[in-house]
Every structure is written in structure tokens, then in C-alpha cells.
Amino acid sequence: MAYPEIRIDLNKIETNTRTTVERCHQQGIQVAGVTKLFGGNPEIATAYVAGGVDLLADSRIDNLKRLSGFSLPKMLLRIPMISEAATVVQTADMVLISEPETAKALSNQAKALDKSIQLILMVDVGDLREGLYAMKEIQEAASMMDGLPGVQLTGIGTNLTCYGGVRPSRKNLTQLVNIKTELEKLLKRHLPVLSGGNGGTLSLLETGEIPVEINQLRLGSSLAMGIGLNDEPIPGLQQDAFLLLTEIVELRRKPSIPEGIIGLDAFGNRPVFEDRGNRMRAICALGRQDIHPDEICPLQKGIQILGASSDHLILDVEDCSDLLQIGSYLTFLPTYGGCLSLMTSPYVKKIIIT
Ligand SMILES: *Cc1c(COP(=O)(O)O)cnc(C)c1O
């Protein structure tokens, strides 16, 4: 055993995926399984594939490259950099895009490489991340992209919740449907894909509020961690497919208030303390270089996170009735953001259980 470790349960991910894919397929929605949470790790992606996703999607081209062994179509989620246009054309089958200049670059590379790539034009319906905003801009971009060789404008899409925190609603999704209808009139052809957002949109699935025209969702946190809008648990899904295990390296009773003149901590903050007398404390071999302490929640009862420096996690374990020892490990549930850091830290061992 080597800690810290993130333990990844493929059965839970597969079950979450199967449940979600069934719910989506019932409403005519295909699922792009988003792998960025685990850096496009192909072994973990097998759980998505076994659970029935229709495409694999990632925001980074390096992650998509790792998925080349799967026959499912690959989608690039982050609007591409012109500097990566050649790699994008070589690696992805479908790409979310907003800038006509970038579409031109992809077209040139596609011609040069004798390949073809599908474009989903991103429209901003209010969250203010990627996507064109004004109808005139959207129409101009769509007409221009429609005429480019080597690329096919396959549909439009939007993203919500991620930057502005704007919730998906019947209203903003209907706006997306209307834009697609307008573009189809303009281009005089059908646009087959209407990509209605990320896991946040699943909240509208149960209530039947997703317009029928929406036929694709891009899902990551729901499949992998069973969470949706506002990171809240989605009923019927499991939230503990990813667990953090970290080892206790010191276990001592100490005062709860530091002694001496208090200045700034290692991160420039002035810490505040509550005097609770002498308390049993544990230090675990984990720090901010791996994860921010706000992004984990202890699974054992009676454990409180006091703080963390770069390499030490400090816990109050006075009220924990489990037998704790030097060298034993404690288990934590990471948030989405926390999981992203843990999966990205080279210091955290990734242990896949099947
Ligand atoms: C990350 C991402 C998703 C997936 O988001 P989840 O909240 O994990 O479902 C969807 N679309 C885009 C463009 C993304 O970057």
C-alpha cells in the first residue's frame, strides 16, 4: 500500500452510466461520456463504454489521444486552439467551436490531411462562457462554416452552469431550439445534433422539461460521481466511486490554540483559532499540492479538518471513536473539484478496483 491513494470503483461508474444512459435514451438523447475528470484514463473509460455511452468526450486533446483504442466517436469539448488544429483533426471526430477563424484553420488542416471533422457551433444562452451571443453573429458564423471544405456543421450546442452559474431551464433550452430552427431555414438543411449542455441539464430530465429537439448531453460528473446541478447527489446514482485514502503520520494531543505571536500562514492568510482545550490531532501525509482541504469530506464520524499546508493535512480526531494508529489510513469523499486535483496530482496513486 502506498498513500495517498485515490480508489476508483469501476462497477459504480458503470452502474451510474447505465442508469443515466437509459434515462437519456428514453427521451431520445444520446450521451457523450466526459472523461476529463480522470484525464482520459482508458481503463476508467471502459466503465462508460460498458455502461452504454454513445460518444467519448474530453476538453483536452492529450486526453482524447489516450482514448484512441475505443471505436466510439471522440468529441473535443474545449473550443480548440488554432495552434492545435492539426492534432484536433487527427484525433477528434467532432468538436465544439465558436470562432470562424478556428473553423477555417480546422478546414485547412482537414484538407491537408484528407480528413473530415464535424463542428458543433456553440451558442451562449446566458452563462457567458464559450459561444456566440448575437443572432446575427450566429447566422454569419454558421453560413461561413457551412461553406468550408473538410468540415461539416453538424449542429449547435450550449453550455450552462459552469461560469455564470446559470441554471438550465425550459426557457433557455427553448431559445437554443429556436436558434437551431432559424439556422436550418438559413442553411436550407437539417442540423442533426442539438447538444443541450452538461450534467446540470439532467435536473430537467425527470420533470420532462427538456425540449424534445435536444438530442445530446455531455455528461461527466453525473456518470463518474453521481452528482448534478450544484454538485447535489442525483437520486438513484452512487456518489462514492472515487475515494481518497491518506495515511496518519502523527497522532498527538495538543492545545487547540498556537503559542506565540500569530502572523501569516504558508498561504498568506491570518489563521483564527477557537480554544477547545487540549485535543487529539492527527496529521496525514497529504497537502495542498494534492488537494485543497475544503474539497474533501471525512467518511469516519468525529473527524474535523482543521487545515492543510503544502504537505500536511491537520485533523481534529478527538471525537472519533474508531481505533486510529500511526500508519493507519483515513478515507475521504472528494468534491468534483477535489477529484480533478487528485486525479491530476502525480503524487496520488490511482488504484482501480473492478
Ligand atoms: C466538462 C464539460 C462537460 C461535462 O460537465 P459535467 O458537469 O461533468 O457533466 C460538458 N460540456 C463541456 C463543454 C465541458 O467542458
Side-chain angles (χ1 to χ4, degrees):
M1 281 297 162
Y3 301 110
E5 160 186 323
I6 183 157
R7 198 169 281 185
I8 306 141
D9 187 329
L10 291 195
N11 285 319
K12 290 188 176 168
I13 300 176
E14 183 180 329
T15 308
N16 281 351
T17 305
R18 185 169 299 112
T19 306
T20 310
V21 166
E22 274 169 15
R23 287 174 182 173
C24 288
H25 281 181
Q26 270 165 17
Q27 301 205 20
I29 295 169
Q30 60 164 209
V31 173
V34 176
T35 59
K36 69 190 180 204
L37 181 65
F38 46 87
N41 181 316
E43 203 182 339
I44 305 176
T46 55
Y48 279 4
V49 176
V53 299
D54 305 285
L55 300 96
L56 289 170
D58 204 288
S59 45
R60 306 208 175 216
I61 206 74
D62 285 341
N63 292 348
L64 279 188
K65 279 187 192 162
R66 298 182 72 188
L67 300 167
S68 62
F70 295 97
S71 58
L72 290 181
K74 319 284 179 317
M75 176 190 230
L76 181 65
L77 295 172
R78 184 172 63 191
I79 47 174
M81 298 182 263
I82 285 183
S83 61
E84 66 183 353
T87 325
V88 171
V89 170
Q90 276 160 337
T91 314
D93 303 288
M94 191 181 266
V95 51
L96 305 183
I97 196 163
S98 63
E99 289 291 353
E101 275 310 302
T102 313
K104 253 185 238 166
L106 290 179
S107 167
N108 289 337
Q109 292 299 338
K111 270 191 298 178
L113 295 161
D114 196 22
K115 293 201 71 164
S116 160
I117 186 161
Q118 300 183 4
L119 308 182
I120 306 288
L121 177 62
M122 291 301 273
V123 169
D124 187 344
V125 293
D127 196 57
L128 299 185
R129 203 178 74 177
E130 75 276 47
L132 302 180
Y133 206 84
M135 193 58 205
K136 191 161 173 289
E137 282 176 359
I138 298 168
Q139 286 170 325
E140 280 170 9
S143 310
M144 183 269 188
M145 289 180 194
D146 200 39
L148 289 175
V151 300
Q152 294 143 21
L153 183 62
T154 310
I156 67 169
T158 198
N159 197 69
L160 287 157
T161 71
C162 282
Y163 171 70
V166 174
R167 295 171 71 118
S169 63
R170 179 97 198 166
K171 184 160 177 253
N172 51 31
L173 293 181
T174 302
Q175 197 183 335
L176 187 71
V177 172
N178 293 341
I179 293 169
K180 184 174 108 110
T181 311
E182 283 299 306
L183 290 183
E184 287 177 336
K185 271 189 221 152
L186 178 78
L187 303 176
K188 300 189 176 60
R189 69 179 179 86
H190 175 59
L191 293 170
V193 177
L194 189 47
S195 192
N198 57 33
T201 307
L202 286 175
S203 60
L204 302 180
L205 200 63
E206 301 289 288
T207 54
E209 283 178 278
I210 302 184
V212 291
E213 292 87 349
I214 296 217
N215 60 9
Q216 182 188 80
L217 289 179
R218 310 175 305 267
L219 305 178
S221 50
S222 46
L223 311 185
M225 301 181 70
I227 54 176
L229 197 62
N230 303 331
D231 286 356
E232 281 158 13
I234 297 176
L237 302 187
Q238 291 165 298
Q239 283 74 43
D240 56 352
F242 291 79
L243 290 178
L244 167 68
L245 278 59
T246 177
E247 183 172 332
I248 300 176
V249 291
E250 184 183 294
L251 197 58
R252 296 275 147 189
R253 198 174 298 276
K254 291 190 193 180
S256 39
I257 294 214
E259 205 176 299
I261 299 164
I262 293 175
L264 300 183
D265 70 11
F267 297 91
N269 305 308
R270 192 173 300 273
V272 277
F273 300 92
E274 181 196 348
D275 192 357
R276 305 175 72 196
N278 283 355
R279 308 275 298 173
M280 190 55 117
R281 295 152 68 99
I283 296 181
C284 288
L286 177 90
R288 294 193 191 208
Q289 193 155 20
D290 310 298
I291 191 169
H292 192 285
D294 292 348
E295 305 292 339
I296 50 177
C297 179
L299 282 193
Q300 280 124 308
K301 292 213 167 50
I303 296 184
Q304 189 193 350
I305 298 172
L306 296 174
S309 58
S310 311
D311 305 293
H312 301 78
L313 175 70
I314 302 136
L315 307 167
D316 181 317
V317 296
E318 180 74 31
D319 303 327
C320 181
S321 52
D322 297 352
L323 174 68
L324 302 182
Q325 289 175 310
I326 303 300
S328 61
Y329 66 84
L330 294 175
T331 308
F332 297 81
L333 192 67
T335 61
Y336 178 81
C339 205
L340 199 59
S341 333
L342 291 170
M343 291 304 294
T344 312
S345 171
Y347 304 104
V348 180
K349 315 287 171 304
K350 283 77 185 174
I351 305 294
I352 295 173
I353 54 172
T354 52

